[in-house]
Amino acid sequence: MISFLRGNERDLQVLAASSNGKDAVRGTLKSVMLDKFVGDPFSDGSDASLASYWTLKGYPYTENQLKRVKQVRVELRMEENPIYTYPADKVWRCNAFIENMQKEEKAEFSQTQKRLKAHKHLQKKRKK
């Protein structure tokens, strides 16, 4: 079973980990494979598991994770917009839609953003 994401017809922008340990790649989350875990073969029909690929790259999975971490499909922002299968724990949301938040949640979110900006500003000053 595949779950296609349609949150108010907006694409969910994500960062997907790079298997070589370098910068993450921006993309769009296309689907969550509800019946596929990292211990299962790739969703492209290969015999190898998704976990075995990431383990070879230096990111091993525990026995528990093999049966719990889902596979997701991400369309990468690269030439030709390829769609790749990733472990769900290697994909992070870039932004959150806050229009449905309650007033208190929005205030807390805003305060967190201010603290992060202040922290980044202090880090830049220390480097100088």
Side-chain angles (χ1 to χ4, degrees):
M1 175 182 207
I2 298 174
S3 168
F4 290 95
L5 305 173
R6 289 204 175 107
N8 295 329
E9 299 303 317
R10 292 186 180 171
D11 292 330
L12 185 60
Q13 300 302 306
V14 296
L15 285 176
S18 172
S19 62
N20 63 11
K22 295 186 179 179
D23 293 334
V25 181
R26 286 193 173 271
T28 303
L29 184 63
K30 299 310 273 183
S31 63
V32 176
M33 315 302 226
L34 298 177
D35 60 345
K36 290 276 201 174
F37 301 93
V38 294
D40 296 330
F42 275 96
S43 60
D44 64 4
S46 162
D47 288 336
S49 76
L50 190 55
S52 65
Y53 171 81
W54 283 87
T55 298
L56 286 172
K57 299 295 183 176
Y59 301 95
Y61 282 91
T62 66
E63 285 297 319
N64 189 35
Q65 290 171 320
L66 293 175
K67 299 171 191 153
R68 297 190 71 151
V69 177
K70 303 251 190 254
Q71 292 186 23
V72 298
R73 303 280 285 162
V74 176
E75 180 179 29
L76 301 179
R77 283 193 203 166
M78 313 173 99
E79 194 173 315
E80 299 181 19
N81 297 326
I83 297 177
Y84 287 112
T85 303
Y86 280 88
D89 67 340
K90 301 286 186 272
V91 176
W92 305 276
R93 182 173 62 190
C94 288
N95 52 18
F97 303 117
I98 64 169
E99 61 227 20
N100 294 328
M101 287 184 181
Q102 300 298 322
K103 186 176 181 179
E104 299 82 24
E105 291 173 314
K106 284 183 182 178
E108 183 179 335
F109 182 76
S110 182
Q111 287 295 347
T112 301
Q113 283 185 316
K114 287 178 186 176
R115 283 193 295 269
L116 284 172
K117 285 180 185 177
H119 179 71
K120 286 180 183 177
H121 181 71
L122 285 174
Q123 284 182 324
K124 284 181 183 178
K125 275 187 161 183
R126 289 180 184 158
K127 287 183 180 179
K128 291 179 181 181

